């Protein structure tokens, strides 16, 4: 992830220098956001690396027709699937039409390029699809169509959700980036391909994701290199020193806020404190169970499989052995308590208390992580 973020910053600086902009905004806009999102276990930073590599190549006339376009597309496809095309190919074709310059479209018709893309991006998908019957329909219906067209994943938001994310994430260069995007959109129709590419890179995906039934801030992470490049062109040369001082001060404040929030990371949902409490309090052999809500961070930090009870997960591709290892019944939970005298359970506190009462067990709160609480279960008395 660190290498991918570094590559994004390198591409951003390269594009900013080519556009004649200042490097400070290019680095600060991207680095603040990537630093903040580095606390999440997600593949979006790798998608952003593929997208940044694509535009670094297509914005430069010397590399526009090269195979690097397709290498970058393949990296993004491996990281996140077909959505990379919404962030790259679709905006590039829109920009070609907008600026009345067919060079991006011609570059994307290279059969050698698409062959290279297929060699890099498709083998892993093909192997997994062949080895897992039914995965094709699951992948396209549940993970693509339902994620975009429905709210089944319960991650909805208002249509202006990503606008707020972008405006806040571009600080302290929000005004400069917005002003330069508007300028680029106006210049795009005057046969200005670089401006058309930058304006399309931000505009088309923003519209697309705004109508999605699933919304998370990281979805628009690949747009921030474009915002950074535009922001770098905003300050006039004689004013760049002034803006650099403002940016450095804002960047320092943001880092200080992130550092100040560290003691409260458990309240913000980080499972590290819960994992630490489990390690300190658990006796050898005692079981831990996740109840009602899945938390990937606990098994990650503990480096062990955590069985689940009444957790709604996708089970269609699990064999009986894997299912038995990952999921337990209420009778299994009772036996865990009776065997060693105590078991640990992670879930929403009211739900765990209700479960304990139903099973005739005593629940004691030991630690918390966001909306989830770690409790010990024992027999009364």
């Amino acid at each position: 992830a660190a290498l991918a973020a570094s590559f994004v910053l390198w591409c951003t600086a390269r594009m900013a220098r080519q556009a004649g902009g200042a490097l400070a905004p290019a680095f600060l806009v991207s680095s603040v956001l990537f630093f903040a999102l580095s606390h999440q276990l997600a593949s979006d930073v790798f998608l952003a690396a593929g997208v940044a590599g694509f535009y670094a190549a297509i914005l430069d006339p010397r590399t526009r027709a090269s195979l690097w376009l397709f290498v970058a597309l393949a990296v993004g496809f491996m990281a996140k699937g077909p959505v990379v095309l919404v962030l790259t190919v679709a905006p590039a074709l829109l920009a070609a039409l907008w600026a009345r310059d067919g060079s991006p479209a011609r570059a994307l018709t290279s059969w050698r390029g698409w062959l290279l893309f297929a060699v890099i991006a498709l083998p892993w998908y093909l192997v997994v699809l062949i080895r897992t019957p039914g995965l094709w329909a699951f992948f396209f219906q549940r993970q693509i169509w339902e994620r975009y067209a429905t709210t089944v994943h319960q991650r909805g938001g208002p249509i202006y959700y990503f606008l707020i994310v972008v405006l806040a994430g571009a600080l302290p260069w929000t005004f400069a980036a917005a002003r330069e995007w508007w300028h680029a959109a106006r210049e795009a129709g005057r046969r200005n391909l670089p401006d058309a590419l930058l304006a399309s890179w931000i505009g088309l995906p923003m519209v697309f994701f705004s109508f999605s039934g699933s919304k998370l801030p990281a979805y628009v992470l690949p747009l921030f290199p474009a915002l950074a490049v535009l922001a770098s062109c905003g300050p006039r040369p004689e004013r760049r020193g002034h803006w650099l001082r403002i940016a450095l001060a804002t960047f320092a404040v943001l880092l200080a806020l992130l550092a100040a929030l560290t003691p409260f990371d458990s309240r913000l949902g980080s499972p590290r404190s819960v994992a630490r409490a489990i390690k300190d309090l658990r006796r050898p052999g005692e079981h831990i169970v996740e109840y009602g809500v899945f938390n990937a961070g606990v098994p990650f930090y503990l480096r062990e499989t955590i069985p689940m009870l009444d957790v709604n997960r996708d089970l269609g591709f699990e064999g009986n052995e894997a299912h038995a290892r990952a999921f337990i019944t209420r009778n299994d939970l009772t036996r865990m308590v009776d065997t060693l005298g105590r078991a640990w359970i992670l879930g929403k506190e009211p739900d765990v208390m209700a479960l304990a009462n139903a099973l005739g067990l005593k629940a004691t709160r030991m630690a918390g992580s966001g909306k989830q609480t770690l409790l010990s279960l024992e027999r009364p008395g």
Side-chain angles (χ1 to χ4, degrees):
L3 289 175
S6 299
F7 178 74
V8 171
L9 293 177
W10 178 81
C11 289
T12 304
R14 185 173 184 267
M15 290 183 284
R17 187 181 294 276
Q18 184 181 345
L23 293 184
F27 273 98
L28 291 176
V29 170
S30 293
S31 59
V32 168
L33 184 79
F34 276 82
F35 181 83
L37 290 179
S38 65
H39 291 75
Q40 296 186 2
L41 187 63
S43 59
D44 299 275
V45 65
F46 301 101
L47 173 63
V51 172
F54 174 88
Y55 282 101
I58 205 169
L59 278 165
D60 190 337
R62 298 169 298 178
T63 56
R64 186 169 298 153
S66 71
L67 295 178
W68 287 114
L69 289 176
F70 300 92
V71 173
L73 283 176
V75 170
F77 192 91
M78 289 185 67
K80 210 72 174 179
V83 71
V84 68
L85 304 178
V86 176
L87 292 158
T88 53
V89 174
L93 294 177
L94 174 62
L97 183 65
W98 198 352
R100 298 185 291 280
D101 185 332
S103 58
R106 288 192 296 272
L108 290 169
T109 58
S110 168
W111 67 268
R112 291 185 179 86
W114 287 110
L115 178 62
L116 178 61
F117 169 86
V119 169
I120 296 173
L122 297 184
W124 182 84
Y125 283 95
L126 293 176
V127 169
V128 173
L129 288 170
I130 291 171
R131 293 179 59 180
T132 313
L135 185 59
W136 181 271
F138 171 82
F139 180 64
F140 281 98
Q141 180 177 343
R142 182 165 177 81
Q143 295 300 325
I144 295 180
W145 172 250
E146 288 185 2
R147 192 173 292 275
Y148 183 81
T150 73
T151 57
V152 68
H153 293 276
Q154 300 180 354
R155 293 173 177 172
I159 197 169
Y160 52 84
Y161 178 95
F162 289 114
L163 179 62
I164 295 175
V165 173
V166 165
L167 293 177
L171 290 171
W173 299 97
T174 302
F175 177 75
R179 182 182 61 189
E180 291 303 310
W181 181 87
W182 181 251
H183 175 75
R186 288 189 301 172
E187 290 296 315
R190 300 173 184 172
R191 300 180 183 274
N192 189 322
L193 182 61
D195 280 342
L197 284 166
L198 289 169
S200 299
W201 179 359
I202 297 170
L204 182 60
M206 276 284 290
V207 173
F208 177 83
F209 287 123
S210 292
F211 287 94
S212 173
S214 244
K215 293 182 173 71
L216 288 174
Y219 286 6
V220 290
L221 181 65
L223 307 187
F224 278 84
L227 290 164
V229 173
L230 289 170
S232 73
C233 300
R236 297 189 302 272
E238 66 273 15
R239 298 285 292 168
R240 284 178 180 171
H242 170 70
W243 281 104
L244 176 59
R245 288 189 291 272
I246 294 176
L248 289 174
T250 305
F251 186 61
V253 170
L254 289 173
L255 290 180
L257 286 174
L258 287 172
L261 288 174
T262 300
F264 307 100
D265 61 355
S266 62
R267 299 181 190 176
L268 298 173
S270 171
R272 284 183 296 180
S273 61
V274 168
R276 192 180 306 116
I278 292 172
K279 290 180 179 179
D280 293 340
L281 299 172
R282 181 170 56 157
R283 294 190 292 261
E286 288 183 340
H287 297 279
I288 309 159
V289 176
E290 292 191 343
Y291 176 64
V293 181
F294 175 67
N295 188 324
V298 174
F300 174 80
Y301 284 113
L302 293 180
R303 298 290 191 269
E304 62 182 271
T305 299
I306 306 298
M308 293 172 280
L309 173 62
D310 294 347
V311 175
N312 184 22
R313 302 290 293 169
D314 295 314
L315 308 177
F317 307 103
E318 300 292 343
N320 291 334
E321 183 180 347
H323 187 279
R325 187 171 61 251
F327 294 91
I328 65 170
T329 66
R330 297 190 176 200
N331 289 334
D332 294 328
L333 178 60
T334 302
R335 280 195 294 270
M336 290 176 180
V337 174
D338 291 336
T339 300
L340 294 172
R342 182 171 64 175
W344 299 89
I345 190 163
L346 181 66
K348 295 181 179 179
E349 187 169 356
D351 296 340
V352 175
M353 289 294 186
L355 174 66
N357 289 333
L359 298 178
L361 300 174
K362 175 186 175 184
T364 305
R365 188 185 192 279
M366 305 301 291
S369 174
K371 296 180 180 180
Q372 292 184 279
T373 303
L374 175 70
L375 301 99
S376 65
L377 294 181
E378 299 173 286
R379 286 292 181 185

